[in-house]
Amino acid sequence: MKIRLVLIFNFVVLLTFFCSSKKSTNSIATHGNLALINGTLIDGTGTAPISHAAIVIENEMITAVGKLSEIALPSEAEIIDVDGATILPGFFNAHVHQAYNEHNLKTWAQAGVTTVRDLGGNPQNNLFAFRDRVNQSPQYARLV
């Protein structure tokens, strides 16, 4: 179960960022409790998709995953109904070009790519500072 939680964490964070309102994102940071319900969960392990799934996130950690009918939702959690959405692990792209570009990182993140690796940047352009800055925001794919 712990591996399953790790596999879906990145994409759930992105889904939360893009599917919820600004108020919801702020609420997560403030209260730390969120439940995504009614999506179809594909966990990446090869098991069958879970329809009408629930994912509970408490204090930025996934604490429960499974069928909505089998998961106890915390009473204080903000509930986001993602009916019709598919929730799956974030994708890693280990060979990209031009990743030191905010537009590209944002586009990849919106497409479900949570992490990219680009070894072709110019070291004179202060790449580590750029990487550290963009890695602080979930609107961008993580850059390594």
Side-chain angles (χ1 to χ4, degrees), residues 5 34-36 54-58 61-65 71-74 77:
L5 297 178
L34 174 71
L36 302 174
I55 300 170
V56 178
I57 302 168
E58 297 178 280
M61 297 294 295
I62 297 173
T63 58
V65 176
I71 299 293
L73 302 178

Side-chain angles (χ1 to χ4, degrees), residues 16-33:
T16 301
F17 180 79
F18 292 113
C19 292
S20 63
S21 67
K22 190 170 182 93
K23 176 181 178 273
S24 297
T25 303
N26 290 339
S27 177
I28 296 164
T30 304
H31 304 300
N33 298 316

Side-chain angles (χ1 to χ4, degrees), residues 7 10 63 79 134:
L7 286 173
N10 283 336
T63 58
I79 296 174
V134 297

Side-chain angles (χ1 to χ4, degrees), residues 80-140:
I80 298 176
D81 190 337
V82 296
D83 188 31
T86 300
I87 304 166
L88 61 150
F91 294 102
F92 288 55
N93 189 338
H95 186 133
V96 301
H97 297 275
Q98 301 177 357
Y100 294 92
N101 174 299
E102 290 182 34
H103 173 76
N104 291 348
L105 291 169
K106 193 173 195 176
T107 300
W108 287 321
Q110 290 173 341
V113 177
T114 59
T115 305
V116 298
R117 182 182 71 166
D118 184 344
L119 299 177
N122 183 343
Q124 295 178 0
N125 292 344
N126 203 3
L127 301 178
F128 294 117
F130 176 85
R131 178 206 61 198
D132 293 345
R133 181 176 57 78
V134 297
N135 283 352
Q136 293 178 21
S137 174
Q139 72 178 339
Y140 302 114

